[in-house]
Amino acid sequence: MTTVQGHCDPAFSAVRDAFEENFAEGREMGAAVTVYAGDRLVVDLWGGIADRRSGREWVRDTPCVAFSCTKAVTAAAAALLAERGAYDVDGPVAKWWPEFAVNGKEDTTAAHLLSHQSGLPALARPVSAEEAADPKAMADQLAAQTPEWVPGEAHGYQAMTYGWLAGEIVRRHSGRTVGAFVKDEFARDLDLWIGSPDSVIERAAKLTAARPGSTDPLPHADDLLTRMSKAYLDPQSPLNRALNNPSPGKGGFNNPVVLRGGWPAAGMVATAPALAGFYRDLLAGRIVRPDTLRAAITPRVSGPDRVLLSDSSFGLGFMRPSMTYRVPAEGAATAFGHTGAGGSLGLGDIERDIGMAYVMNRMGDQLSDDPRAYRLAEALYASLP
């Protein structure tokens, strides 16, 4: 029986109950959940095993790969530079990235890059983990590609390419990688890294594959999962090509080459308190102004996603509630954030001023919509006055 440790305000006991239930039902190996209400830490819980092979226990400051939760942090970096006037979100990319303006991409805007409308959901050739550590080389490859649709006329989830498309905004306007910019500008005091030092990699949780039946889908998700599973197994499908290139190599996302490489779409390593603290600071206006945040989370696209095969909704890099970012009904108009493959979740609510993060090392079967994360979010909203 896993003992859950940490602090939980009595008003949010439903979150503790849901977290403990995930362990009791065998859905978790190691995990953590943190919630801020304003600047008040109301939930800070962890439990289980960080490394199955060594038996190392999960502790409060255990960092974990958070996969696409990274995209929200990269989006915040891009929003901060736009706020400073470094570039025009709705202006042409060609103005500051002239090499990009070829093969039908001449009218692409920064907003298209940030809201998954670029027509570049996948890399055109196989890329190794070592190659992916070079942001300039990755940007150069994407700049030379021909889009799969006219930019701005449709959207499709840029599972990996988002990082180097949005990342080029940061690199060209700050002279720094996304990871360096984020650390310098707003994450200096957060245990959050996009490009992890070896000391962090050594103490990070080790990911393990899902146990069959451990993460049963949410109700009404069966049809979507069937379609996505079929597409995932088809090497020519946009979903397969978007998710599986670059290859993380031996060890998957436990591979130190990936974690050092700072992939700005999916390579973040963070503790739950740090990821929740990011949303806390974002909502408090400590990263960007409130009007900048509202503009960044305003949906730019909603509807059929050419990669995810279901409806999705995105602002300028932030997910909004949809079939691929399910939140309780109470947050349908106000929640934003990003999920991560395998189950992780980052969530903010702009009206309720709450920031939530959930990270875990037992991968779920779902690309998005993990029932463990949803159960925690449901308990959180049920706890609010």
Side-chain angles (χ1 to χ4, degrees), residues 44-67:
D44 186 19
L45 300 171
W46 64 90
I49 301 299
D51 185 340
R52 177 173 52 86
R53 291 186 177 180
S54 69
R56 173 166 55 93
E57 293 187 353
W58 195 297
V59 295
R60 184 179 189 267
D61 65 349
T62 294
C64 188
V65 180
F67 291 96

Side-chain angles (χ1 to χ4, degrees), residues 140-382:
D140 288 347
Q141 182 176 162
L142 288 164
Q145 285 188 204
T146 299
E148 298 185 24
W149 60 81
V150 176
E153 291 192 0
H155 75 280
Y157 186 52
Q158 301 161 172
M160 296 296 183
T161 59
Y162 172 90
W164 295 294
L165 294 169
E168 198 64 359
I169 295 174
V170 177
R171 199 177 72 86
R172 292 201 174 228
H173 293 104
S174 75
R176 288 168 279 176
T177 64
V178 172
F181 183 85
V182 165
K183 265 299 175 192
D184 290 347
E185 299 290 343
F186 56 81
R188 191 175 298 276
D189 297 325
L190 297 176
D191 288 338
L192 174 160
W193 301 266
I194 302 174
S196 298
D198 287 348
S199 59
V200 170
I201 295 172
E202 288 171 5
R203 61 187 180 87
K206 304 302 180 187
L207 303 173
T208 189
R211 192 167 69 189
S214 65
T215 53
D216 296 330
L218 294 172
H220 315 301
D222 290 341
D223 179 60
L224 172 60
L225 288 173
T226 298
R227 285 186 286 123
M228 291 181 74
S229 296
K230 183 177 179 181
Y232 185 81
L233 295 174
D234 176 2
Q236 300 305 314
S237 74
L239 182 66
N240 183 296
R241 292 183 292 109
L243 289 175
N244 294 321
N245 189 19
S247 168
K250 185 177 181 180
F253 273 75
N254 290 321
N255 184 353
V257 174
V258 175
L259 304 184
R260 289 188 202 105
W263 298 5
M268 179 174 67
V269 175
T271 65
L275 184 55
F278 160 73
Y279 283 95
R280 171 202 64 200
D281 292 346
L282 197 57
L283 290 163
R286 290 191 282 264
I287 297 176
V288 295
R289 297 191 305 260
D291 61 310
T292 300
L293 177 60
R294 286 190 177 272
I297 68 172
T298 298
R300 292 286 183 132
V301 291
S302 295
D305 187 302
R306 290 199 177 187
V307 173
L308 296 179
L309 306 178
S310 60
D311 286 356
S312 64
S313 180
F314 295 97
L316 296 174
F318 294 97
M319 277 183 158
R320 296 304 308 271
S322 68
M323 289 180 69
T324 52
Y325 187 64
R326 292 185 192 268
V327 300
E330 298 90 332
T334 53
F336 68 96
H338 219 288
T339 59
S344 51
L345 173 68
L347 181 148
D349 190 303
I350 199 161
E351 297 298 336
R352 293 169 177 82
D353 195 20
I354 55 171
M356 172 187 172
Y358 161 70
V359 296
M360 76 303 124
N361 60 352
R362 171 166 282 159
M363 300 289 287
D365 294 321
Q366 293 80 30
L367 174 65
S368 189
D369 240 7
D370 188 278
R372 297 168 297 176
Y374 184 84
R375 177 181 284 177
L376 295 169
E378 188 175 47
L380 170 58
Y381 275 95

Side-chain angles (χ1 to χ4, degrees), residues 85-88 91-101 105-106 108-110 172-173:
Y87 70 102
D88 178 1
V93 170
K95 183 175 181 179
W96 47 267
W97 190 359
E99 301 90 342
F100 191 84
K105 305 193 302 298
E106 293 81 0
T108 304
T109 68
R172 292 201 174 228
H173 293 104

